[in-house]
Amino acid sequence: MRRLIFATNNKHKVTEVRAALSSIDDIEIVTLAEAGLEGEIPETADTLHGNAHQKALWVWERTHTDCFADDTGLEVDALGGAPGVYSARYAGPHCSFDDNIDKLLANLHGKENRKAHFRTVICLIEGHSQSLPTTHYFEGRVDGQILTSRHSNGQGFGYDPLFMPDRFALSFAEMPLQLKNTISHRALAVKKLKDYLLNS
Ligand code: IMP
């Protein structure tokens, strides 16, 4: 069985990734806690690639076990790509999802161009202590529009109530989770990771 540490303790992400990779028989996805890793992983890079790499490397340096990390941002055209890599803390260091949504709505007030996309970058590091590790990146992107107010059935998280993906008339927070999980940025990045693992 191949052990792959996922640099997260976020239960939703782990469930989503385990489900997406479940058809690969010989892979076991292990969380940070299950791998016995404690402490805050630094996320101080100024790109999604940089943060994903920083998190995966933190794990690899401590375990010398194959591992991967993800980083996601919402990139809004009219705001020059903001909040981007700062999506989680757009409204400040300890802000809530609601604070971030309020700030985004305020910054887009009166703007006609509502185009935006979510982008997820996964960094996979493979290698053991005797060999130099190799690094691979997998990127998923979903394009859409930022709505002028919240649209939600209570599903989803983060910016979901404001994001309507192209070709759909529902926000991410209104659509069934199963549907979001087939078209989302994260799903597309995980699909590329899966294709790589199946062929490597
Ligand atoms: P992370 O890198 O996956 O932790 O994502 C960083 C931030 O991007 C989160 O705190 C959310 O604000 C936002 N985000 C990531 N994925 C999604 C999503 O699927 N829907 C809405 N917001 C998201």
Side-chain angles (χ1 to χ4, degrees):
M1 187 67 97
R2 178 172 177 193
R3 210 173 142 85
L4 205 52
I5 303 174
F6 183 12
T8 189
N9 282 321
N10 179 320
K11 287 196 183 96
H12 300 288
K13 282 190 186 178
V14 176
T15 306
E16 186 181 337
V17 167
R18 279 194 177 134
L21 301 183
S22 61
S23 60
I24 312 181
D25 296 335
D26 58 344
I27 281 199
E28 184 194 11
I29 303 296
V30 176
T31 65
L32 290 173
E34 288 162 354
L37 293 168
E38 286 175 4
E40 277 284 296
I41 307 187
E43 260 185 83
T44 52
D46 58 6
T47 62
L48 299 177
H49 280 77
N51 268 345
H53 181 250
Q54 190 178 26
K55 290 188 272 186
L57 190 61
W58 187 94
V59 173
W60 192 83
E61 284 173 346
R62 284 160 180 76
T63 61
H64 291 149
T65 299
D66 296 349
C67 58
F68 65 97
D70 70 328
D71 203 41
T72 295
L74 173 67
E75 299 175 327
V76 180
D77 287 13
L79 302 177
V85 72
Y86 306 109
S87 294
R89 44 191 190 278
Y90 189 39
H94 304 293
C95 63
S96 65
F97 289 144
D98 256 349
D99 297 335
N100 284 336
I101 284 185
D102 286 338
K103 180 167 178 182
L104 183 59
L105 285 174
N107 286 348
L108 281 179
H109 186 70
K111 298 226 194 290
E112 269 185 27
N113 180 0
R114 314 290 296 191
K115 283 188 190 160
H117 55 265
F118 276 109
R119 203 155 60 85
T120 292
V121 174
I122 291 176
C123 174
L124 169 72
I125 300 185
E126 296 178 292
H128 303 284
S129 47
Q130 288 84 0
S131 62
L132 273 182
T134 56
T135 303
H136 297 271
Y137 293 97
F138 308 93
E139 188 170 320
R141 167 178 168 151
V142 61
D143 287 89
Q145 304 277 330
I146 301 299
L147 299 163
T148 52
S149 62
R150 291 168 170 81
H151 289 237
S152 175
N153 287 342
Q155 284 157 160
F157 70 100
Y159 298 91
D160 279 350
L162 286 191
F163 187 80
M164 188 169 71
D166 289 346
R167 294 180 295 282
F168 290 88
L170 297 172
S171 77
F172 264 174
E174 291 175 309
M175 59 177 55
L177 188 60
Q178 257 183 319
L179 174 58
K180 182 192 166 191
N181 285 350
T182 54
I183 63 168
S184 81
H185 41 295
R186 212 172 359 265
L188 297 175
V190 173
K191 169 88 173 56
K192 288 183 185 172
L193 170 68
K194 178 184 173 185
D195 291 345
Y196 171 82
L197 292 171
L198 278 172
N199 293 309
S200 66

